[in-house]
Amino acid sequence: MDKIISSADADAYLARIGVPRPSVPDLAALRELHLRHLHAVPFENLSIHLGEEIVLDPAALVAKVTGGRGGFCYELNGAFAALLEALGYQVTRLAGRVMGPEGLFGPPFDHLALLVRTADSEEPWLVDVGFGRNSHYPLRFGERGEQADPAGAFRLAETADGDLDLLREGEVQYRLELRPRELADFEGGCWWHRTSPKSLFTRAVICSRLTDSGRVTLSDRILVTTGATGRQELPLAEEEILPAFREHFGIALDRVPQARRTSEGRGMS
């Protein structure tokens, strides 16, 4: 079983996302934690392009968050699981395979998502703060009809092999296995995503978070904002990139992350 973080680390984490410590690990608190996390902690792959080590250890992942950074799915959901367990929630780590742009699922352990039980509900909840444009709130894990969310209509559908597909607006996002996993089980998937030329994360620098009106994303040298006025793209000069990380994501870097281009890959948009 993964280690539970200290009370001090949990308090520092809560301060980062701007949420007071819940008195009870209930659904209302889980919903607030989920939403505020998406607003405060960016989905980013900067460590890959800065040559930083990625350690799938709860304490290390939480330290990265409390230190002002974000991460990709293993890091974000790994850290959030540690926080939830420290607050008294029951958390199960699940392995998923993401649906790619070619209509094919990625490799095993392609994604980490969470199954969470609260103190006031018999039904479990699908929690995922590490999948970019995903639901703003936890989803009912046992519900098979459409679930309305500010990010769209979501649905969980059983597969013939006993897995579970997550669909957004009718399109499969990823497929979950239902067997409980430990954080260490995702070491191979994490290594693949940070080293393989076939991984989307080695092809481009990406940093993105939810905002009150939409999203803000820095994809390579393009700052993309979406909101009430639609989508706007702003190309940045080299000297504007580090200030953009600080202004929009609260991330202070001493150098610009450089994407590793490959003959097999294209930049993300």
mmCIF file of all heavy atoms in Angstrom, residues 91-130:
data_model
loop_
_atom_site.group_PDB
_atom_site.id
_atom_site.type_symbol
_atom_site.label_atom_id
_atom_site.label_comp_id
_atom_site.label_asym_id
_atom_site.label_seq_id
_atom_site.Cartn_x
_atom_site.Cartn_y
_atom_site.Cartn_z
ATOM 1 N N VAL A 91 -9.233 5.327 -1.196
ATOM 2 C CA VAL A 91 -8.823 5.539 -2.581
ATOM 3 C C VAL A 91 -8.278 4.247 -3.182
ATOM 4 O O VAL A 91 -7.443 3.573 -2.573
ATOM 5 C CB VAL A 91 -7.748 6.634 -2.684
ATOM 6 C CG1 VAL A 91 -7.362 6.881 -4.140
ATOM 7 C CG2 VAL A 91 -8.242 7.931 -2.042
ATOM 8 N N THR A 92 -8.741 3.934 -4.381
ATOM 9 C CA THR A 92 -8.207 2.816 -5.164
ATOM 10 C C THR A 92 -7.630 3.374 -6.452
ATOM 11 O O THR A 92 -8.291 4.151 -7.151
ATOM 12 C CB THR A 92 -9.317 1.795 -5.502
ATOM 13 O OG1 THR A 92 -9.896 1.304 -4.292
ATOM 14 C CG2 THR A 92 -8.744 0.635 -6.306
ATOM 15 N N ARG A 93 -6.410 2.996 -6.771
ATOM 16 C CA ARG A 93 -5.751 3.449 -8.001
ATOM 17 C C ARG A 93 -6.082 2.482 -9.126
ATOM 18 O O ARG A 93 -5.945 1.267 -8.962
ATOM 19 C CB ARG A 93 -4.244 3.572 -7.776
ATOM 20 C CG ARG A 93 -3.878 4.676 -6.780
ATOM 21 C CD ARG A 93 -2.596 4.364 -6.027
ATOM 22 N NE ARG A 93 -2.321 5.387 -5.018
ATOM 23 C CZ ARG A 93 -2.877 5.423 -3.803
ATOM 24 N NH1 ARG A 93 -3.739 4.483 -3.442
ATOM 25 N NH2 ARG A 93 -2.570 6.388 -2.955
ATOM 26 N N LEU A 94 -6.494 3.028 -10.263
ATOM 27 C CA LEU A 94 -6.899 2.216 -11.415
ATOM 28 C C LEU A 94 -6.037 2.548 -12.621
ATOM 29 O O LEU A 94 -5.691 3.713 -12.851
ATOM 30 C CB LEU A 94 -8.363 2.469 -11.763
ATOM 31 C CG LEU A 94 -9.396 2.153 -10.680
ATOM 32 C CD1 LEU A 94 -10.790 2.519 -11.178
ATOM 33 C CD2 LEU A 94 -9.339 0.679 -10.274
ATOM 34 N N ALA A 95 -5.723 1.525 -13.406
ATOM 35 C CA ALA A 95 -4.932 1.700 -14.624
ATOM 36 C C ALA A 95 -5.854 1.881 -15.823
ATOM 37 O O ALA A 95 -6.890 1.214 -15.936
ATOM 38 C CB ALA A 95 -4.014 0.503 -14.850
ATOM 39 N N GLY A 96 -5.474 2.788 -16.717
ATOM 40 C CA GLY A 96 -6.266 3.033 -17.913
ATOM 41 C C GLY A 96 -5.405 3.086 -19.156
ATOM 42 O O GLY A 96 -4.174 3.159 -19.085
ATOM 43 N N ARG A 97 -6.075 3.031 -20.310
ATOM 44 C CA ARG A 97 -5.419 3.185 -21.618
ATOM 45 C C ARG A 97 -6.157 4.290 -22.363
ATOM 46 O O ARG A 97 -7.365 4.214 -22.594
ATOM 47 C CB ARG A 97 -5.466 1.872 -22.406
ATOM 48 C CG ARG A 97 -4.793 0.704 -21.692
ATOM 49 C CD ARG A 97 -4.982 -0.593 -22.440
ATOM 50 N NE ARG A 97 -4.255 -0.574 -23.719
ATOM 51 C CZ ARG A 97 -4.401 -1.489 -24.660
ATOM 52 N NH1 ARG A 97 -5.279 -2.479 -24.504
ATOM 53 N NH2 ARG A 97 -3.705 -1.424 -25.762
ATOM 54 N N VAL A 98 -5.433 5.322 -22.741
ATOM 55 C CA VAL A 98 -6.029 6.502 -23.361
ATOM 56 C C VAL A 98 -6.297 6.256 -24.841
ATOM 57 O O VAL A 98 -5.469 5.667 -25.546
ATOM 58 C CB VAL A 98 -5.102 7.724 -23.189
ATOM 59 C CG1 VAL A 98 -5.675 8.939 -23.904
ATOM 60 C CG2 VAL A 98 -4.884 8.018 -21.708
ATOM 61 N N MET A 99 -7.450 6.714 -25.320
ATOM 62 C CA MET A 99 -7.769 6.636 -26.741
ATOM 63 C C MET A 99 -6.966 7.684 -27.496
ATOM 64 O O MET A 99 -7.053 8.876 -27.197
ATOM 65 C CB MET A 99 -9.265 6.860 -26.965
ATOM 66 C CG MET A 99 -9.680 6.884 -28.432
ATOM 67 S SD MET A 99 -9.388 5.312 -29.291
ATOM 68 C CE MET A 99 -10.730 4.306 -28.608
ATOM 69 N N GLY A 100 -6.155 7.254 -28.446
ATOM 70 C CA GLY A 100 -5.301 8.152 -29.199
ATOM 71 C C GLY A 100 -5.992 8.767 -30.396
ATOM 72 O O GLY A 100 -7.130 8.386 -30.750
ATOM 73 N N PRO A 101 -5.345 9.726 -31.058
ATOM 74 C CA PRO A 101 -5.953 10.406 -32.206
ATOM 75 C C PRO A 101 -6.181 9.476 -33.392
ATOM 76 O O PRO A 101 -6.996 9.780 -34.261
ATOM 77 C CB PRO A 101 -4.933 11.503 -32.546
ATOM 78 C CG PRO A 101 -3.651 11.050 -31.937
ATOM 79 C CD PRO A 101 -4.019 10.289 -30.718
ATOM 80 N N GLU A 102 -5.474 8.345 -33.415
ATOM 81 C CA GLU A 102 -5.662 7.401 -34.525
ATOM 82 C C GLU A 102 -6.790 6.410 -34.254
ATOM 83 O O GLU A 102 -7.025 5.490 -35.032
ATOM 84 C CB GLU A 102 -4.373 6.623 -34.803
ATOM 85 C CG GLU A 102 -3.187 7.486 -35.203
ATOM 86 C CD GLU A 102 -2.455 8.051 -33.987
ATOM 87 O OE1 GLU A 102 -2.767 7.613 -32.850
ATOM 88 O OE2 GLU A 102 -1.595 8.931 -34.170
ATOM 89 N N GLY A 103 -7.487 6.581 -33.110
ATOM 90 C CA GLY A 103 -8.572 5.668 -32.772
ATOM 91 C C GLY A 103 -8.097 4.383 -32.135
ATOM 92 O O GLY A 103 -8.843 3.394 -32.099
ATOM 93 N N LEU A 104 -6.878 4.365 -31.603
ATOM 94 C CA LEU A 104 -6.315 3.190 -30.941
ATOM 95 C C LEU A 104 -5.976 3.527 -29.501
ATOM 96 O O LEU A 104 -5.562 4.646 -29.195
ATOM 97 C CB LEU A 104 -5.057 2.718 -31.671
ATOM 98 C CG LEU A 104 -5.216 2.307 -33.135
ATOM 99 C CD1 LEU A 104 -3.851 2.017 -33.749
ATOM 100 C CD2 LEU A 104 -6.133 1.092 -33.257
ATOM 101 N N PHE A 105 -6.135 2.539 -28.612
ATOM 102 C CA PHE A 105 -5.767 2.742 -27.226
ATOM 103 C C PHE A 105 -4.256 2.713 -27.069
ATOM 104 O O PHE A 105 -3.543 2.006 -27.786
ATOM 105 C CB PHE A 105 -6.389 1.664 -26.338
ATOM 106 C CG PHE A 105 -7.865 1.852 -26.105
ATOM 107 C CD1 PHE A 105 -8.786 1.009 -26.700
ATOM 108 C CD2 PHE A 105 -8.326 2.881 -25.281
ATOM 109 C CE1 PHE A 105 -10.145 1.177 -26.482
ATOM 110 C CE2 PHE A 105 -9.679 3.059 -25.058
ATOM 111 C CZ PHE A 105 -10.591 2.210 -25.658
ATOM 112 N N GLY A 106 -3.761 3.472 -26.104
ATOM 113 C CA GLY A 106 -2.346 3.481 -25.784
ATOM 114 C C GLY A 106 -1.942 2.199 -25.074
ATOM 115 O O GLY A 106 -2.743 1.278 -24.893
ATOM 116 N N PRO A 107 -0.687 2.123 -24.641
ATOM 117 C CA PRO A 107 -0.184 0.908 -23.998
ATOM 118 C C PRO A 107 -0.788 0.718 -22.613
ATOM 119 O O PRO A 107 -1.387 1.635 -22.045
ATOM 120 C CB PRO A 107 1.327 1.170 -23.906
ATOM 121 C CG PRO A 107 1.442 2.658 -23.886
ATOM 122 C CD PRO A 107 0.341 3.166 -24.756
ATOM 123 N N PRO A 108 -0.643 -0.480 -22.016
ATOM 124 C CA PRO A 108 -1.106 -0.699 -20.647
ATOM 125 C C PRO A 108 -0.461 0.295 -19.685
ATOM 126 O O PRO A 108 0.670 0.746 -19.897
ATOM 127 C CB PRO A 108 -0.651 -2.130 -20.346
ATOM 128 C CG PRO A 108 -0.561 -2.790 -21.699
ATOM 129 C CD PRO A 108 -0.092 -1.709 -22.626
ATOM 130 N N PHE A 109 -1.193 0.649 -18.635
ATOM 131 C CA PHE A 109 -0.742 1.622 -17.634
ATOM 132 C C PHE A 109 -0.455 2.986 -18.268
ATOM 133 O O PHE A 109 0.388 3.734 -17.818
ATOM 134 C CB PHE A 109 0.485 1.108 -16.880
ATOM 135 C CG PHE A 109 0.223 -0.148 -16.100
ATOM 136 C CD1 PHE A 109 0.541 -1.383 -16.625
ATOM 137 C CD2 PHE A 109 -0.376 -0.076 -14.852
ATOM 138 C CE1 PHE A 109 0.279 -2.542 -15.916
ATOM 139 C CE2 PHE A 109 -0.628 -1.245 -14.127
ATOM 140 C CZ PHE A 109 -0.308 -2.481 -14.669
ATOM 141 N N ASP A 110 -1.217 3.287 -19.314
ATOM 142 C CA ASP A 110 -1.117 4.552 -20.044
ATOM 143 C C ASP A 110 -1.634 5.716 -19.214
ATOM 144 O O ASP A 110 -1.259 6.855 -19.439
ATOM 145 C CB ASP A 110 -1.945 4.393 -21.325
ATOM 146 C CG ASP A 110 -1.726 5.494 -22.336
ATOM 147 O OD1 ASP A 110 -0.621 6.036 -22.387
ATOM 148 O OD2 ASP A 110 -2.674 5.795 -23.078
ATOM 149 N N HIS A 111 -2.501 5.419 -18.248
ATOM 150 C CA HIS A 111 -3.150 6.469 -17.464
ATOM 151 C C HIS A 111 -3.436 5.949 -16.069
ATOM 152 O O HIS A 111 -3.639 4.745 -15.859
ATOM 153 C CB HIS A 111 -4.457 6.895 -18.143
ATOM 154 C CG HIS A 111 -5.155 8.033 -17.478
ATOM 155 N ND1 HIS A 111 -4.569 9.258 -17.284
ATOM 156 C CD2 HIS A 111 -6.402 8.125 -16.922
ATOM 157 C CE1 HIS A 111 -5.413 10.067 -16.665
ATOM 158 N NE2 HIS A 111 -6.532 9.401 -16.429
ATOM 159 N N LEU A 112 -3.439 6.866 -15.107
ATOM 160 C CA LEU A 112 -3.807 6.569 -13.723
ATOM 161 C C LEU A 112 -5.028 7.388 -13.361
ATOM 162 O O LEU A 112 -5.037 8.619 -13.530
ATOM 163 C CB LEU A 112 -2.643 6.916 -12.782
ATOM 164 C CG LEU A 112 -2.950 7.011 -11.274
ATOM 165 C CD1 LEU A 112 -3.419 5.667 -10.734
ATOM 166 C CD2 LEU A 112 -1.730 7.508 -10.513
ATOM 167 N N ALA A 113 -6.085 6.724 -12.894
ATOM 168 C CA ALA A 113 -7.285 7.393 -12.397
ATOM 169 C C ALA A 113 -7.605 6.817 -11.024
ATOM 170 O O ALA A 113 -7.021 5.820 -10.593
ATOM 171 C CB ALA A 113 -8.454 7.201 -13.360
ATOM 172 N N LEU A 114 -8.558 7.435 -10.326
ATOM 173 C CA LEU A 114 -8.841 7.074 -8.944
ATOM 174 C C LEU A 114 -10.301 6.710 -8.730
ATOM 175 O O LEU A 114 -11.201 7.350 -9.279
ATOM 176 C CB LEU A 114 -8.487 8.239 -8.009
ATOM 177 C CG LEU A 114 -7.088 8.841 -8.157
ATOM 178 C CD1 LEU A 114 -6.947 10.063 -7.249
ATOM 179 C CD2 LEU A 114 -6.006 7.813 -7.876
ATOM 180 N N LEU A 115 -10.522 5.683 -7.927
ATOM 181 C CA LEU A 115 -11.839 5.313 -7.439
ATOM 182 C C LEU A 115 -11.883 5.707 -5.966
ATOM 183 O O LEU A 115 -11.064 5.243 -5.175
ATOM 184 C CB LEU A 115 -12.059 3.811 -7.602
ATOM 185 C CG LEU A 115 -13.364 3.232 -7.054
ATOM 186 C CD1 LEU A 115 -14.549 3.778 -7.835
ATOM 187 C CD2 LEU A 115 -13.343 1.709 -7.128
ATOM 188 N N VAL A 116 -12.818 6.582 -5.600
ATOM 189 C CA VAL A 116 -12.821 7.165 -4.258
ATOM 190 C C VAL A 116 -14.164 6.905 -3.579
ATOM 191 O O VAL A 116 -15.222 7.071 -4.182
ATOM 192 C CB VAL A 116 -12.543 8.685 -4.319
ATOM 193 C CG1 VAL A 116 -12.611 9.305 -2.930
ATOM 194 C CG2 VAL A 116 -11.181 8.937 -4.956
ATOM 195 N N ARG A 117 -14.070 6.531 -2.295
ATOM 196 C CA ARG A 117 -15.265 6.355 -1.466
ATOM 197 C C ARG A 117 -15.274 7.433 -0.386
ATOM 198 O O ARG A 117 -14.251 7.718 0.218
ATOM 199 C CB ARG A 117 -15.294 4.959 -0.845
ATOM 200 C CG ARG A 117 -15.451 3.852 -1.884
ATOM 201 C CD ARG A 117 -15.575 2.485 -1.239
ATOM 202 N NE ARG A 117 -15.723 1.430 -2.230
ATOM 203 C CZ ARG A 117 -16.875 1.063 -2.789
ATOM 204 N NH1 ARG A 117 -17.991 1.678 -2.429
ATOM 205 N NH2 ARG A 117 -16.928 0.103 -3.695
ATOM 206 N N THR A 118 -16.449 8.007 -0.170
ATOM 207 C CA THR A 118 -16.609 9.080 0.802
ATOM 208 C C THR A 118 -17.321 8.557 2.050
ATOM 209 O O THR A 118 -17.888 7.463 2.054
ATOM 210 C CB THR A 118 -17.409 10.245 0.208
ATOM 211 O OG1 THR A 118 -18.769 9.819 -0.002
ATOM 212 C CG2 THR A 118 -16.818 10.674 -1.135
ATOM 213 N N ALA A 119 -17.318 9.374 3.102
ATOM 214 C CA ALA A 119 -17.916 8.957 4.366
ATOM 215 C C ALA A 119 -19.445 9.006 4.342
ATOM 216 O O ALA A 119 -20.093 8.383 5.192
ATOM 217 C CB ALA A 119 -17.395 9.840 5.498
ATOM 218 N N ASP A 120 -20.025 9.735 3.391
ATOM 219 C CA ASP A 120 -21.471 9.943 3.401
ATOM 220 C C ASP A 120 -22.184 9.329 2.213
ATOM 221 O O ASP A 120 -23.365 9.609 1.982
ATOM 222 C CB ASP A 120 -21.781 11.441 3.464
ATOM 223 C CG ASP A 120 -21.252 12.200 2.251
ATOM 224 O OD1 ASP A 120 -20.314 11.696 1.599
ATOM 225 O OD2 ASP A 120 -21.774 13.290 1.951
ATOM 226 N N SER A 121 -21.500 8.506 1.431
ATOM 227 C CA SER A 121 -22.135 7.918 0.248
ATOM 228 C C SER A 121 -21.685 6.474 0.081
ATOM 229 O O SER A 121 -20.497 6.169 0.215
ATOM 230 C CB SER A 121 -21.765 8.720 -1.011
ATOM 231 O OG SER A 121 -22.266 8.100 -2.173
ATOM 232 N N GLU A 122 -22.639 5.598 -0.192
ATOM 233 C CA GLU A 122 -22.295 4.197 -0.414
ATOM 234 C C GLU A 122 -21.710 3.971 -1.797
ATOM 235 O O GLU A 122 -20.992 2.992 -2.021
ATOM 236 C CB GLU A 122 -23.536 3.316 -0.228
ATOM 237 C CG GLU A 122 -24.055 3.279 1.201
ATOM 238 C CD GLU A 122 -25.200 2.310 1.374
ATOM 239 O OE1 GLU A 122 -25.602 1.679 0.356
ATOM 240 O OE2 GLU A 122 -25.700 2.173 2.511
ATOM 241 N N GLU A 123 -21.991 4.870 -2.739
ATOM 242 C CA GLU A 123 -21.486 4.680 -4.090
ATOM 243 C C GLU A 123 -20.085 5.275 -4.246
ATOM 244 O O GLU A 123 -19.766 6.310 -3.653
ATOM 245 C CB GLU A 123 -22.432 5.307 -5.112
ATOM 246 C CG GLU A 123 -22.570 6.812 -5.015
ATOM 247 C CD GLU A 123 -23.478 7.368 -6.102
ATOM 248 O OE1 GLU A 123 -23.508 6.791 -7.197
ATOM 249 O OE2 GLU A 123 -24.162 8.376 -5.849
ATOM 250 N N PRO A 124 -19.231 4.618 -5.026
ATOM 251 C CA PRO A 124 -17.887 5.155 -5.278
ATOM 252 C C PRO A 124 -17.922 6.199 -6.388
ATOM 253 O O PRO A 124 -18.888 6.289 -7.152
ATOM 254 C CB PRO A 124 -17.108 3.917 -5.712
ATOM 255 C CG PRO A 124 -18.136 3.027 -6.355
ATOM 256 C CD PRO A 124 -19.422 3.283 -5.616
ATOM 257 N N TRP A 125 -16.817 6.963 -6.485
ATOM 258 C CA TRP A 125 -16.730 8.066 -7.437
ATOM 259 C C TRP A 125 -15.459 7.963 -8.251
ATOM 260 O O TRP A 125 -14.399 7.618 -7.719
ATOM 261 C CB TRP A 125 -16.771 9.401 -6.690
ATOM 262 C CG TRP A 125 -18.054 9.588 -5.940
ATOM 263 C CD1 TRP A 125 -18.352 9.104 -4.700
ATOM 264 C CD2 TRP A 125 -19.233 10.251 -6.398
ATOM 265 N NE1 TRP A 125 -19.644 9.440 -4.352
ATOM 266 C CE2 TRP A 125 -20.197 10.144 -5.374
ATOM 267 C CE3 TRP A 125 -19.552 10.939 -7.573
ATOM 268 C CZ2 TRP A 125 -21.466 10.690 -5.495
ATOM 269 C CZ3 TRP A 125 -20.818 11.489 -7.691
ATOM 270 C CH2 TRP A 125 -21.760 11.363 -6.672
ATOM 271 N N LEU A 126 -15.570 8.262 -9.549
ATOM 272 C CA LEU A 126 -14.399 8.340 -10.412
ATOM 273 C C LEU A 126 -13.810 9.730 -10.270
ATOM 274 O O LEU A 126 -14.470 10.735 -10.565
ATOM 275 C CB LEU A 126 -14.772 8.066 -11.868
ATOM 276 C CG LEU A 126 -13.628 8.216 -12.888
ATOM 277 C CD1 LEU A 126 -12.491 7.241 -12.595
ATOM 278 C CD2 LEU A 126 -14.144 8.033 -14.315
ATOM 279 N N VAL A 127 -12.578 9.792 -9.824
ATOM 280 C CA VAL A 127 -11.878 11.057 -9.589
ATOM 281 C C VAL A 127 -10.663 11.104 -10.503
ATOM 282 O O VAL A 127 -9.873 10.156 -10.552
ATOM 283 C CB VAL A 127 -11.454 11.165 -8.108
ATOM 284 C CG1 VAL A 127 -10.474 12.301 -7.899
ATOM 285 C CG2 VAL A 127 -12.686 11.327 -7.214
ATOM 286 N N ASP A 128 -10.502 12.227 -11.227
ATOM 287 C CA ASP A 128 -9.387 12.334 -12.173
ATOM 288 C C ASP A 128 -9.025 13.804 -12.361
ATOM 289 O O ASP A 128 -9.719 14.538 -13.053
ATOM 290 C CB ASP A 128 -9.776 11.707 -13.514
ATOM 291 C CG ASP A 128 -8.587 11.482 -14.431
ATOM 292 O OD1 ASP A 128 -7.533 12.108 -14.188
ATOM 293 O OD2 ASP A 128 -8.701 10.694 -15.385
ATOM 294 N N VAL A 129 -7.922 14.213 -11.728
ATOM 295 C CA VAL A 129 -7.432 15.589 -11.894
ATOM 296 C C VAL A 129 -6.209 15.614 -12.798
ATOM 297 O O VAL A 129 -5.480 16.604 -12.841
ATOM 298 C CB VAL A 129 -7.092 16.231 -10.524
ATOM 299 C CG1 VAL A 129 -8.343 16.384 -9.680
ATOM 300 C CG2 VAL A 129 -6.021 15.419 -9.781
ATOM 301 N N GLY A 130 -5.997 14.530 -13.548
ATOM 302 C CA GLY A 130 -4.796 14.415 -14.371
ATOM 303 C C GLY A 130 -5.057 14.083 -15.820
ATOM 304 O O GLY A 130 -4.241 13.411 -16.466
#
